[in-house]
Every structure is written in C-alpha cells, then in structure tokens.
Amino acid sequence: MNLKQTLIPLLLALALALSACGKPVPAEKAAYVGEWQAPAMYLLITQDGSVRYKRLKGGATTSVEGPLKGFAGDNLEVGIGPMATTFVVSQPPYQEGGRWKMVVDGVELSRSPSGAIQ
C-alpha cells in the first residue's frame, strides 16, 4: 500500500471526527439559531453547533463550513483549533417589524421567516 492510499482514508476519518466537534448553541444564544440571509451573504447556524457561511464580495466568494467553537461576547467562533475564524456580530439577533435581524461582519441579515433550517 502506498502513502496516498494510506493517507486519504486517514484524512477522511479525521475530517469526520472533527466535524462532530461543534458545541451546541447555549440556551442564552438560542436566538442565533436559524438561516440568516442578505443579498450577498448567507449564514446557517444549527442548534447542534454546525455553521455554514457564504459571502460574495468584490467578485469573490468566501465560504466556511465548520463546527461552532463558541461565542466571544456576541461574536461567533467557528472552526477547529488554529483553523478558525471569528464572525463579528455588531448587533446580536433582534426583532424589527416582526422580523428577526442581526448584523454580522457589517452586513444586516434577516432570519428566514419560517426559521426553517434547510
């Protein structure tokens, strides 16, 4: 068996194990859970601590998928070890005109009306 045949299954197993390392969203941050959108940004936060993010800015797309490491104040920390990113939440979830909104990385997001997670 060559190195490539050994390394690929090992890396896949490691990725699967690490993807299950997300911390569930604590009760006091439950308002963060849901599908959040703006025209050029998408953020999905699940109760079990999975996060999916996609943003189009300046013609480039940035996307992040990973486990929730935790919260630093209102900010979200997502990733594994040093491979992590912080989403700056300048306005945590709030209601305005019957809709849930929050401001992440300077973008105002609205939660899907049904709150459904797809």
Side-chain angles (χ1 to χ4, degrees):
M1 191 181 266
N2 67 31
L3 181 61
K4 187 175 179 181
Q5 289 174 323
T6 304
L7 195 55
I8 290 174
L10 181 62
L11 290 174
L12 287 173
L14 180 61
L16 280 173
L18 292 175
S19 67
C21 293
K23 293 183 179 179
V25 175
E28 66 272 11
K29 300 288 188 183
Y32 284 74
V33 174
E35 185 178 41
W36 300 86
Q37 298 181 60
M41 188 170 167
Y42 174 84
L43 177 63
L44 174 67
I45 304 168
T46 64
Q47 178 59 49
D48 71 357
S50 297
V51 178
R52 182 181 298 158
Y53 166 88
K54 189 171 186 178
R55 183 172 185 185
L56 178 62
K57 183 177 179 183
T61 300
T62 302
S63 60
V64 174
E65 287 188 42
L68 176 66
K69 286 181 74 170
F71 287 86
D74 292 327
N75 299 336
L76 295 162
E77 295 180 345
V78 177
I80 301 164
M83 300 288 291
T85 189
T86 299
F87 295 99
V88 177
V89 179
S90 54
Q91 279 193 281
Y94 63 96
Q95 282 191 300
E96 182 180 276
R99 302 248 2 226
W100 279 95
K101 296 182 178 188
M102 79 170 152
V103 179
V104 179
D105 293 342
V107 177
E108 184 181 68
L109 302 171
S110 295
R111 187 161 56 193
S112 295
S114 65
I117 298 173
Q118 300 176 354

